Amino acid sequence: MADAFGLREWQQEARERYHGRHGGTDGNFLVVATPGAGKTTFALTIAQDLIDQDTINNLVVIVPTSHLRRQWSEAAAKKGIQLDHNFVNANTVVGADYDGVVVTYQTVASSPLLWRRLCSNRRTLVVFDEIHHAGEGDGQIWGPALKEAFEVATRRLLLSGTPFRTDGMPIPFVEYESNRAVAGYNYDYGMALTDGGVVRPAVFPAMDGESKWRRSGELAVTSIALVDTDEKTVPPALQAALNPQGEWIPSVLRAADAALTQTRLDTPDAGGLVIASNQDHAYAYCDILEKITGERPAIAVSDEPEASKVIKRFAASESRWIVAVQMVAEGVDIPRLTVGVYASRIRTQMFFIQVVGRFVRLRGDDDETTARLFIPSIQPLLTYAQDIEKTVDAVIADQEKRVRDMQDDGDSDEPPSLLPTIEIVGSSEASHHSTIANGEAITPSEMAYAKSVLSRAETAAPRGTTPEFVALLLRAAGASQPVAEPRRPDVGHEPLADKKRDVRTLIKRKVGRLNLATGKLHQYIHAEMNQALGDTTTTATMDSLLRRVEMLDRWLEEVQQ
């Protein structure tokens, strides 16, 4: 919900916190907000505030890719801030009719002393978009360059779409605690979903299939879902599935295009995005999609000016599909994207979250679309999909665990040059393994039943009702399970504290089901029960807890009537 200034609630809260801390520690302030939540709007609002207060008279925005330069420039122009997105280091001076510039991290790293001079001459706010990039890949070059260039700036505002940590060279201007980046404000995807009107819900059809390959001449055949894998290696089963010469990826693209067709019944210009592993695959996927749809997809395979134009044209068109390698994975704003295929070999949680962010951006208050991202039924992608609504702390904890695992492995991994040669043989058509929605895995049989129920109730179903929503609703009502949940749990003979803990867990689960069925916030449901029973879940007696269970069962039954 927007306030009188057009800001969402989280943006206004973060704005107040920023000014309350006078720009953060030593002029640094980090905001971690889920992709699609409105980090650009927030940053430009802070910039305008500081301009109005005469705290700054110059704005420098640093972005990871060239395409984002124009995107930031256009967003700033709407707020009356003029940024030069064509600036190059050879210019040495910013035009007097600009309020600032937008450049890439690489541009700054190539000439840090120039940027130090440009920031020394004026009172400057530097905005670092997706600052976690400064700790990856070229971070050992970028980090020192950023510090040298911008330590003289008046204020520094750091933005990231996902929580991050450091295990090597710390990123300049970021405060750390036990190697964790400490944010001045956190706003994750789960919070955004709870607030409503910020991001779309997302579901994840997980596609299985049979892969075949030869290792050292020996034929291997396995299901994708049975592969034991981690982030560090790309299993042959996944390589075979993503190979455009096999049957798996064409069948997934057909399923995704069918989903896009269904979405376009309500949203005629809805678009789809395929994230490919490399350029060869990207062009091959375009060929497959052209055969399926009769329309040549757009393709953006590099961070070149022409690729940026392709993305811009696609965003403004009604074309069905765009295929990209990585450049559309982060920061690029195409709100009409609703269906995607994750065909990348990258399996880090940070990259996965950024890809999901391409599909959850709302187009307006009446946007009732559910984002749908098709993924291979392989770990750790399944876990990422189930945990997409986790809090920032949970994501960081997961990253820490993976770091510990890698440290425990030490130097035991066989060098790549000594690995047996893999020959991809082929893959079968994809089969539906499960669909991840609201952190739960829905089976194919539950989905089939939900679709049949939805088809019979099509005229009565509200616009935007999805089969996943119906499946979870049926599960909550016990209609898709042979064994019904007991109305009152068996309290047995264990200690009272354990009994009450189990009943509270049951209450929490039923409140979640009622939230799913009615849209009522969890706290409102608890408040109704507290008012009716005169206590709280924490202080309630066992009898009062059991009465809560009965109240929730009754309310769930009423929803089904």
Side-chain angles (χ1 to χ4, degrees), residues 62-78:
I62 317 297
V63 296
T65 65
S66 293
H67 175 78
L68 295 179
R69 296 177 67 181
R70 172 176 286 278
Q71 191 166 294
W72 267 91
S73 177
E74 291 176 348
K78 293 177 182 178

Side-chain angles (χ1 to χ4, degrees), residues 180-469:
R180 295 185 181 194
V182 179
Y185 193 88
N186 281 318
Y187 189 68
D188 62 41
Y189 181 70
M191 297 173 184
L193 276 180
T194 300
D195 285 350
V198 179
V199 293
R200 295 171 181 150
V203 299
F204 303 88
M207 309 303 285
D208 199 2
E210 190 177 81
S211 292
K212 301 178 183 179
W213 69 94
R214 285 191 178 90
R215 173 177 283 160
S216 300
E218 184 176 341
L219 181 65
V221 181
T222 188
S223 164
I224 298 172
L226 297 178
V227 173
D228 184 16
T229 184
D230 57 29
E231 287 183 1
K232 295 180 291 181
T233 57
V234 181
L238 182 59
Q239 294 183 46
L242 299 181
N243 190 315
Q245 302 304 315
E247 298 181 38
W248 189 87
I249 191 67
S251 62
V252 171
L253 293 174
R254 285 194 296 271
D257 187 67
L260 181 60
T261 296
Q262 185 66 33
T263 301
R264 286 168 74 102
L265 294 177
D266 290 326
T267 310
D269 67 340
L273 165 67
V274 181
I275 300 290
S277 295
N278 54 56
Q279 292 191 16
D280 289 341
H281 280 189
Y283 282 106
Y285 295 166
C286 278
D287 293 339
I288 295 170
L289 281 169
E290 185 174 14
K291 291 178 181 178
I292 294 171
T293 66
E295 175 186 304
R296 183 69 179 175
I299 185 165
V301 296
S302 62
D303 189 25
E304 299 293 335
E306 185 59 35
S308 295
K309 293 178 183 178
V310 169
I311 294 172
K312 187 175 178 64
R313 285 196 298 267
F314 178 81
S317 74
E318 296 186 0
S319 300
R320 294 178 72 88
W321 286 98
I322 183 171
V323 181
V325 179
Q326 290 187 36
M327 68 175 300
V328 184
E330 185 170 71
V332 175
D333 186 7
I334 310 177
R336 71 185 190 89
L337 288 177
T338 57
V339 177
V341 176
Y342 192 98
S344 172
R345 295 180 181 180
I346 301 175
R347 284 167 298 126
T348 63
Q349 191 166 31
M350 183 177 290
F351 185 77
F352 184 81
I353 290 173
Q354 292 290 349
V355 170
V356 173
R358 299 315 101 217
F359 302 94
V360 298
R361 295 173 184 265
L362 285 178
R363 304 180 72 177
D365 294 337
D366 60 345
D367 187 345
E368 298 179 356
T369 307
T370 295
R372 197 171 303 273
L373 179 61
F374 287 75
I375 63 175
S377 59
I378 193 170
Q379 291 293 1
L381 298 184
L382 292 172
T383 299
Y384 297 162
Q386 289 179 308
D387 293 346
I388 196 69
E389 298 171 28
K390 285 167 63 174
T391 64
V392 167
D393 284 343
V395 174
I396 287 287
D398 182 71
Q399 291 178 352
E400 290 174 340
K401 178 182 182 300
R402 294 199 306 277
V403 169
R404 288 195 300 271
D405 290 343
M406 286 187 284
Q407 291 171 341
D408 291 342
D409 288 343
D411 297 326
S412 61
D413 287 345
E414 189 175 13
S417 60
L418 300 181
L419 290 175
T421 302
I422 302 297
E423 178 191 354
I424 302 302
V425 176
S427 60
S428 69
E429 287 201 3
S431 58
H432 190 184
H433 174 268
S434 61
T435 298
I436 310 298
N438 290 82
E440 298 187 45
I442 304 171
T443 66
S445 60
E446 287 180 307
M447 282 294 293
Y449 182 45
K451 289 177 180 178
S452 68
V453 171
L454 186 58
S455 65
R456 293 197 297 270
E458 186 173 358
T459 56
R463 179 177 176 267
T465 301
T466 65
E468 292 80 12
F469 175 83

Side-chain angles (χ1 to χ4, degrees), residues 473-487:
L473 200 62
L474 291 170
R475 180 186 289 179
S480 61
Q481 300 179 10
V483 180
E485 192 173 63
R487 294 182 66 83

